[in-house]
Amino acid sequence: MLKKTVLALTTCALLATAGTAAAADFKIDKEGQHAFVHFRIKHLGYSWLYGSFKDFDGTFSYDDKDPTKDKVNVTINTASVDTNHAERDKHLRSEHFLNTAKYPKATFVSSSVTKDGDELDINGNLTLNGVTKPVKLEAKLIGEGKDPWGGYRAGFEAETTVALKDFNITTDLGPASQNVDLIISVEGVRQ
């Protein structure tokens, strides 16, 4: 009788903890140059202007069985903007665009994650230029697994489009340049 009781309690405990297992936590691998925050915007409607933010950090949680447990938290140093043109970058840091002196950080904090086929819809709040707005990132798992150094990694790519005016960037760049595409590619190391 005692054995049956112990077995029943052990089984219940295992089932209870299995149902509440947490998502795995990952730190974005920016040191290894395996993470990028890029953007692009049309230049006069004739071509694309590409740029990136070189200094950012973040974490994410990922559970392939239950995306409701997933979380994303990223902080970007806005002064690290780089479009491969020093004068343009200086202009982008000014109060006409990113206003980096007043708002040195941009953040994205997820509020929910849902699976849509092969994609993950990551809803959250983007804070940029002192304004916080909800945005949805459309993300895909690129791959996951063990690395050669004994760790475990997962990589994702995500995209969204935001309107400049939504973030109080009112400099008129012409009708073809009202929105900016964000392209985020990250590899995280499980903690």
Side-chain angles (χ1 to χ4, degrees):
M1 181 69 171
L2 182 59
K3 282 185 179 180
K4 286 183 181 179
T5 304
V6 170
L7 181 60
L9 288 173
T10 303
T11 303
C12 288
L14 287 172
L15 290 174
T17 56
T20 59
D25 294 325
F26 292 81
K27 178 150 179 54
I28 293 174
D29 182 14
K30 68 174 196 161
E31 287 7 323
Q33 299 296 312
H34 298 117
F36 305 90
V37 176
H38 296 298
F39 61 88
R40 71 178 191 170
I41 189 168
K42 285 189 177 174
H43 181 253
L44 304 173
Y46 306 137
S47 64
W48 288 104
L49 169 73
Y50 286 84
S52 63
F53 292 96
K54 299 296 187 186
D55 185 16
F56 59 93
D57 206 357
T59 59
F60 62 88
S61 298
Y62 173 62
D63 184 329
D64 65 337
K65 304 273 190 272
D66 186 0
T68 63
K69 295 178 182 174
D70 296 354
K71 292 182 171 63
V72 178
N73 191 332
V74 177
T75 300
I76 298 169
N77 174 0
T78 55
S80 72
V81 66
D82 183 356
T83 63
N84 202 30
H85 188 277
E87 284 303 309
R88 179 174 45 231
D89 296 345
K90 183 178 174 184
H91 192 205
L92 290 174
R93 290 182 191 106
S94 76
E95 66 279 358
H96 299 288
F97 291 97
L98 297 173
N99 201 359
T100 63
K102 188 171 183 182
Y103 303 109
K105 304 286 182 199
T107 60
F108 176 79
V109 179
S110 65
S111 55
S112 69
V113 179
T114 57
K115 193 163 180 122
D116 182 13
D118 288 343
E119 288 192 352
L120 294 168
D121 292 336
I122 304 171
N123 294 293
N125 290 310
L126 175 63
T127 301
L128 175 67
N129 198 27
V131 177
T132 301
K133 293 276 185 181
V135 299
K136 179 172 79 172
L137 299 174
E138 295 176 353
K140 281 192 172 186
L141 173 68
I142 304 302
E144 66 175 310
K146 293 179 181 177
D147 65 26
W149 308 280
Y152 191 91
R153 294 171 181 259
F156 294 86
E157 185 170 80
E159 296 182 8
T160 192
T161 301
V162 297
L164 294 177
K165 67 179 181 180
D166 286 350
F167 293 92
N168 215 19
I169 300 172
T170 57
T171 301
D172 187 6
L173 299 172
S177 305
Q178 300 298 307
N179 299 314
V180 62
D181 297 334
L182 299 175
I183 305 109
I184 302 112
S185 180
V186 298
E187 183 177 297
V189 180
R190 189 166 61 190
Q191 301 300 291

